[in-house]
């Protein structure tokens, strides 16, 4: 049945580029995701965790837990 993709980035240019390509994109951070709690089945982080401090990694993990639906991955 397909899927709904929500993308976010710190860069307004990256958001605009994604939107131009038909992606639902928002300004946001992995430590403060601009989506509702329990709203996503899957969270995929690409090329970002390694750039975070230890504190930011912990906040990111908490955010992933917050936005994932029960049994999400």
């Amino acid at each position: 049945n397909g899927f709904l993709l929500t993308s976010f980035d710190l860069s307004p240019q990256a958001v605009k580029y994604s939107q131009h390509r038909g992606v639902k994109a928002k300004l946001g951070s992995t430590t403060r995701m601009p989506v509702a709690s329990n709203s996503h089945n899957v969270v995929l982080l690409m090329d970002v965790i390694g750039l975070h401090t230890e504190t930011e990694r912990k906040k990111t993990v908490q955010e992933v837990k917050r936005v994932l639906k029960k049994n999400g991955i």
Side-chain angles (χ1 to χ4, degrees):
N1 290 335
F3 58 90
L4 174 63
L5 170 68
T6 304
S7 173
F8 55 92
D9 200 292
L10 291 172
S11 163
Q13 294 85 3
V15 170
K16 187 174 181 178
Y17 177 81
S18 295
Q19 290 171 339
H20 180 72
R21 298 178 62 83
V23 174
K24 181 180 175 184
K26 303 176 181 183
L27 280 174
S29 165
T30 60
T31 60
R32 188 184 251 171
M33 297 181 190
V35 295
S37 298
N38 304 310
S39 60
H40 285 66
N41 293 310
V42 177
V43 173
L44 176 63
L45 304 173
M46 296 178 61
D47 300 323
V48 68
I49 277 288
L51 303 174
H52 284 348
T53 65
E54 184 64 27
T55 300
E56 290 169 326
R57 282 193 288 272
K58 288 178 182 179
K59 287 180 182 178
T60 296
V61 169
Q62 291 303 313
E63 274 294 274
V64 169
K65 289 178 181 179
R66 180 185 70 80
V67 304
L68 278 176
K69 292 180 180 179
K70 184 178 180 181
N71 299 319
I73 56 170

